[in-house]
Amino acid sequence: ELFQRLNTGGTQLSGQEVRNCLMIMTSREFYLAINELAQDRKYTELIPITEQKENEQYKMELLLRALISYKSNIEELSQYTDLSELLDKETLKLAQSGDSLSDFIGKFQQVIEKLYDQFGEDTFKRFDDNKHKGPFLVSSFQVIISGALQNYDYFMNMSENELADKIHNLYTQDEYIENTKPGARAIPRFTNLTTFGKTYFG
């Protein structure tokens, strides 16, 4: 908290840049493992974002969203009122726990490889009019990645046709539409899309 309060004046750090510093101070090993995963070539190519987002360490933030969705009790996340606070505190809990990240890292890399090989940088773009189009969607990332990690064996055994149908039909699902409407609150959106992903890919 003190570090975050001191983050004033000069160049304002992004939320994730502050989070990176907190991770390093809490567990350098934890930070290095997440940072190395964030450099994975296939992962970085699946997340086509702006240079500003790159500079703000957004790909690291997405990794932490995936890790929290996989490791944390989703029902308990509803206690938060602010997404940045959720990411800060849940990240620190995981860094302080000393739990191994090898299970998460191994599954995450395999999921990313499967998605990369089939869809490339279109993976997290809306599917409409029989094609992927538009920008990267964090809502799509949340559903697909959390669903794949929570149903890892089932997901990895899906055929290309089965996986394509699932992802193409995602954007017509009522629960996805409801939680991606303009004005949807960040915490319910995060928890609801995570829970939906687990069901949708189950």
Side-chain angles (χ1 to χ4, degrees):
E1 290 177 2
L2 176 61
F3 177 84
Q4 289 168 300
R5 289 193 192 119
L6 290 172
N7 179 34
T8 56
T11 301
Q12 186 71 17
L13 299 179
S14 70
Q16 186 54 47
E17 288 174 311
V18 173
R19 218 166 284 125
N20 287 351
C21 296
L22 295 174
M23 282 192 285
I24 291 171
M25 291 190 292
T26 305
S27 172
R28 183 173 177 80
E29 182 181 359
F30 179 91
Y31 168 78
L32 290 175
I34 297 296
N35 188 52
E36 182 178 357
L37 190 56
Q39 309 303 317
D40 181 272
R41 179 183 64 83
K42 292 185 177 180
Y43 169 64
T44 60
E45 290 185 18
L46 286 189
I47 316 293
I49 54 177
T50 64
E51 184 176 350
Q52 180 179 343
K53 285 283 192 184
E54 289 274 10
N55 293 337
E56 292 173 351
Q57 299 289 300
Y58 191 58
K59 289 177 181 176
M60 282 281 280
E61 177 180 317
L62 291 173
L63 267 176
L64 292 176
R65 288 176 181 237
L67 177 62
I68 291 166
S69 297
Y70 181 67
K71 287 269 196 181
S72 300
N73 184 324
I74 295 301
E75 292 180 1
E76 293 180 0
L77 300 183
S78 299
Q79 68 182 299
Y80 294 105
T81 57
D82 179 78
L83 184 59
S84 291
E85 180 191 18
L86 182 157
L87 294 174
D88 290 348
K89 291 190 174 180
E90 292 299 317
T91 295
L92 289 180
K93 279 184 190 177
L94 292 169
Q96 291 165 347
S97 72
D99 291 348
S100 172
L101 294 179
S102 59
D103 176 59
F104 168 78
I105 290 172
K107 288 180 178 178
F108 185 86
Q109 288 177 318
Q110 290 300 310
V111 166
I112 288 297
E113 184 169 352
K114 184 177 178 74
L115 292 169
Y116 178 91
D117 290 345
Q118 186 164 348
F119 303 103
E121 71 169 33
D122 287 336
T123 299
F124 305 115
K125 295 180 180 180
R126 177 175 295 279
F127 187 80
D128 194 22
D129 294 330
N130 292 314
K131 61 183 178 181
H132 291 274
K133 56 187 178 182
F136 164 84
L137 297 174
V138 65
S139 55
S140 174
F141 177 89
Q142 190 68 38
V143 173
I144 295 170
I145 293 297
S146 60
L149 290 173
Q150 295 289 351
N151 302 283
Y152 177 74
D153 291 335
Y154 176 78
F155 181 86
M156 292 304 296
N157 286 317
M158 291 177 75
S159 69
E160 288 192 0
N161 287 340
E162 289 173 327
L163 183 55
D165 286 344
K166 272 290 185 185
I167 289 181
H168 293 167
N169 291 327
L170 170 62
Y171 305 97
T172 65
Q173 302 302 304
D174 291 341
E175 194 160 354
Y176 180 87
I177 294 169
E178 185 64 28
N179 284 285
T180 55
K181 286 180 177 178
R185 291 183 298 131
I187 300 297
R189 183 172 61 235
F190 180 88
T191 57
N192 290 345
L193 290 177
T194 298
T195 302
F196 171 58
K198 182 178 181 179
T199 303
Y200 188 66
F201 285 95

